[in-house]
């Protein structure tokens, strides 16, 4: 039968128990501190990674916005430059064709040069139509010149084609035009417009179809 512990033994056992409890508390506190440090390090790394990603995303967004803004600015500048070029080109063309029409009016006032031109465009029309009879429309003030030019062109037409043709001149074109003629053939079904205004218009249309790159 065991004996009861005396005061010293009780005190010794209590001291051992206190030491054990204190050691367990220290161990537990150390474990908690280590775990807390690990969790803090993990959370810190997570926050740092999130902030880094956010900074990178913000940088990329601003970079793309800057690139877009730069492209828009370059495109706007290019369009403005191209618009100025087209406006300058259009003004140049207007001046060019205005000067050309003035020269055409001067040409029709030079009888020798004008009758040669009339012979050429009448002969061109005759060779295109190949008709035995045609009607030539002219300005009233050009009627005599056109009649002479038609007679000369008819002879050249016969020499070239071996055919003959009869040309009737009608002074039905307005005197406001620059000159030239229209030729009607094919029983009045075909009209060739060889007026100087029409030729200038065709030239202008061809030039305007061209677009500089």
């Amino acid at each position: 039968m065991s004996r009861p512990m005396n005061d010293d033994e009780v005190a010794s056992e209590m001291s051992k128990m206190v030491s054990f409890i204190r050691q367990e508390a220290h161990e537990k506190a150390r474990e908690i501190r280590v775990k807390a440090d690990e969790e803090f390090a993990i959370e810190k790394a997570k926050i740092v990674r999130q902030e880094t990603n956010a900074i990178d995303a913000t940088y990329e967004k601003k970079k793309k916005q800057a690139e877009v803004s730069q492209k828009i600015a370059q495109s706007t500048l290019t369009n403005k430059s191209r618009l100025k070029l087209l406006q300058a080109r259009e003004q140049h063309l207007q001046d060019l064709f205005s000067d050309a029409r003035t020269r055409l009016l001067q040409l029709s006032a030079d009888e020798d040069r004008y009758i040669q031109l009339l012979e050429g465009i009448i002969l061109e029309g005759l060779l295109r139509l190949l008709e035995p009879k045609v009607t030539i429309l002219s300005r009233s003030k050009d009627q005599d010149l056109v009649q002479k030019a038609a007679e000369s062109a008819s002879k050249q037409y016969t020499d070239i084609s071996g055919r003959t043709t009869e040309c009737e001149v009608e002074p039905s074109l307005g005197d406001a035009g620059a000159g030239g003629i229209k030729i009607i053939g094919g029983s009045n079904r075909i009209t060739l417009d060889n007026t100087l205004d029409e030729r200038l218009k065709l030239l202008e249309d061809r030039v305007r179809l061209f677009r500089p790159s």
Side-chain angles (χ1 to χ4, degrees):
M1 182 173 179
S2 60
R3 64 179 179 82
M5 292 186 294
N6 58 34
D7 292 342
D8 291 336
E9 289 174 338
V10 170
S12 176
E13 287 297 321
M14 289 293 293
S15 177
K16 289 179 181 178
M17 290 180 63
V18 169
S19 295
F20 176 76
I21 292 171
R22 184 179 290 116
Q23 182 65 30
E24 285 290 317
H26 285 314
E27 290 292 330
K28 192 64 176 177
R30 188 180 66 80
E31 289 178 5
I32 293 173
R33 185 169 60 252
V34 169
K35 185 175 181 181
D37 289 343
E38 290 177 350
E39 291 178 350
F40 173 77
I42 292 172
E43 187 64 22
K44 179 181 177 181
K46 180 180 178 182
I47 293 173
V48 170
R49 185 168 59 252
Q50 289 175 343
E51 290 299 320
T52 300
N53 291 339
I55 292 172
D56 290 342
T58 301
Y59 170 77
E60 287 298 324
K61 181 179 180 180
K62 290 184 177 180
K63 180 182 177 182
K64 289 181 180 179
Q65 288 175 341
E67 290 174 349
V68 170
S69 297
Q70 184 179 19
K71 288 180 180 179
I72 292 174
Q74 289 177 342
S75 177
T76 300
L77 181 60
T78 300
N79 289 337
K80 286 183 178 179
S81 298
R82 181 174 177 80
L83 180 60
K84 288 182 179 179
L85 176 63
L86 291 176
Q87 288 173 338
R89 177 178 181 270
E90 179 63 25
Q91 184 60 52
H92 177 69
L93 288 177
Q94 290 179 3
D95 294 342
L96 178 65
F97 287 111
S98 177
D99 181 65
R101 193 172 194 283
T102 299
R103 289 175 180 271
L104 287 179
L105 291 171
Q106 294 172 350
L107 171 63
S108 63
D110 186 336
E111 186 172 312
D112 291 336
R113 293 174 60 200
Y114 187 42
I115 196 169
Q116 289 180 5
L117 173 66
L118 290 172
E119 288 177 7
I121 58 179
I122 291 173
L123 177 60
E124 177 188 321
L126 294 177
L127 291 172
R128 289 180 64 186
L129 291 175
L130 296 175
E131 293 284 340
K133 182 177 180 179
V134 298
T135 300
I136 301 175
L137 309 183
S138 73
R139 300 186 301 182
S140 60
K141 62 183 178 181
D142 292 339
Q143 184 176 4
D144 292 340
L145 285 178
V146 172
Q147 188 65 55
K148 292 178 182 179
E151 292 172 0
S152 176
S154 296
K155 292 177 182 178
Q156 295 179 60
Y157 170 76
T158 299
D159 292 339
I160 295 171
S161 67
R163 302 181 180 212
T164 60
T165 186
E166 178 184 347
C167 298
E168 179 183 355
V169 179
E170 290 185 3
S172 58
L173 297 182
D175 286 336
I181 50 92
K182 291 183 180 181
I183 303 181
I184 301 175
S187 301
N188 295 327
R189 290 174 299 161
I190 303 173
T191 299
L192 299 180
D193 192 339
N194 274 341
T195 58
L196 300 186
D197 290 302
E198 179 63 17
R199 290 204 162 202
L200 181 61
K201 181 179 180 298
L202 291 175
L203 176 61
E204 185 175 352
D205 289 343
R206 284 203 300 270
V207 171
R208 291 186 186 282
L209 282 176
F210 171 74
R211 288 289 182 271
S213 58

